[in-house]
């Protein structure tokens, strides 16, 4: 099977350069998505509020855990955006970036500026890591693969959307998501998640969360342009001394074929509650069906042989 969209069709894994085309949109616009630069996130949660207001998402209540200032805890049916607060203590190395380091006028918002230095007697410093999480709108979306009603569908923008009026509440998509994003709402049993503001995209508007972000931590646009911008930003941070900066979810060669919403992280993915090596959960379905068919044929042959021996 080739790598071209016309050859891959609806392949379950691997690079897919034309996601919308493979889904039946021959004249689709460029694929769009989110690039979330966590190094400039200030934890204001404006994105959470804007998402709830635009999409009329029910309030999920301020439920402080006692472990963090985070009062939404995670993504769910009533939280399509979630800003994580990660408090860390340790000997964080590296000086605060400056204009001479190549960070320009954005250095004040880098993670280094949120670090309290270690004490002279050898104590540890403190820093906050903040990141706005969202549905990844995967290139290969297992939630879409397992949906029996067609409630989940791929849009012409390459995003994945739930049609709540078609969802029957079966819940197959919930365990299928490798990120644990999609969730059922308790009062009606249907599933809900980020739509990347599909209704706004159709009229040329940006998603509400990206529009509301005061530091441009959430950036929206054509996915390939965002990937180039993200690589440049990582290089900028490395030059400024933030050597732990890395991209998460941007590579078409990863386990989901590249995410439509990817991130710049300042620590390991697990620190932010993200799986380190996500894989589309339907990747092995063809092999599983082949094994099941082989087992069925073997059982049928054994039964036929046993029946023939009894007749003799």
């Amino acid at each position: 099977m080739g790598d071209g969209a016309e050859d891959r069709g609806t392949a379950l894994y691997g690079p897919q350069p034309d996601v919308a085309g493979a889904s039946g949109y021959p004249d689709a616009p460029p694929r769009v998505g989110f690039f979330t630069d966590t190094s400039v996130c200030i934890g204001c949660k404006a994105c959470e509020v804007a998402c709830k207001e635009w999409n009329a998402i029910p309030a999920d209540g301020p439920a402080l855990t006692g472990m963090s200032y985070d009062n939404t805890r995670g993504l769910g049916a009533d939280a399509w955006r979630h800003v994580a607060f990660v408090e860390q203590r340790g000997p964080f190395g590296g000086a605060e970036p400056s204009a001479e380091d190549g960070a320009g006028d954005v250095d004040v918002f880098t993670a280094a500026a949120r670090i309290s230095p270690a004490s002279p007697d050898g104590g540890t410093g403190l820093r906050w890591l903040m990141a706005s999480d969202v549905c990844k709108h995967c290139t290969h979306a297992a939630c879409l693969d397992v949906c029996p009603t067609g409630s989940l569908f791929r849009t012409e923008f390459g995003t994945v959307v739930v049609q709540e009026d078609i969802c029957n509440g079966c819940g197959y998509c919930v365990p299928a998501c490798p990120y644990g994003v999609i969730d059922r709402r308790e009062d009606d049993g249907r599933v809900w998640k980020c739509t990347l503001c599909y209704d706004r995209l159709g009229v040329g508007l940006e998603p509400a969360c990206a529009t509301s972000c005061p530091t441009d931590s959430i950036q929206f646009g054509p996915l390939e342009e965002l990937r180039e911008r993200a690589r440049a930003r990582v290089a900028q941070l490395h030059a400024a001394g933030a050597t732990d900066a890395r991209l998460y979810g941007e590579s078409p060669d990863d386990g989901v074929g590249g995410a439509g919403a990817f991130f710049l992280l300042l620590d390991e993915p697990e620190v932010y509650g993200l799986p380190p090596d996500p894989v589309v959960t339907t990747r092995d379905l063809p092999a599983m069906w082949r094994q099941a068919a082989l087992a069925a044929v073997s059982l049928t042959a054994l039964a036929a042989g046993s029946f023939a021996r009894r007749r003799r």
Side-chain angles (χ1 to χ4, degrees), residues 41 43 46 63 115-116 167 206 259:
C41 178
I115 295 175
S116 61
C167 177
E206 287 192 353

Side-chain angles (χ1 to χ4, degrees), residues 130-185:
M130 300 169 184
S132 181
D133 197 10
V134 72
C135 171
K136 314 307 181 290
H137 296 274
C138 306
T139 296
H140 299 291
C143 60
L144 191 156
D145 293 336
V146 302
C147 180
T149 65
S151 171
L152 281 145
F153 74 101
R154 180 83 60 181
T155 74
E156 66 270 30
F157 301 104
T159 58
V160 179
V161 173
V162 180
Q163 300 173 98
E164 63 273 10
D165 56 333
I166 300 177
C167 177
N168 68 356
C170 69
Y172 293 163
C173 54
V174 176
C177 175
Y179 298 99
V181 167
I182 198 163
D183 186 31
R184 297 170 71 180
R185 191 169 288 168

Side-chain angles (χ1 to χ4, degrees), residues 297-312:
V297 170
S298 300
L299 287 173
T300 301
L302 287 172
S306 177
F307 180 74
R309 285 194 297 272
R310 291 187 64 182
R311 291 197 62 181
R312 287 199 297 267

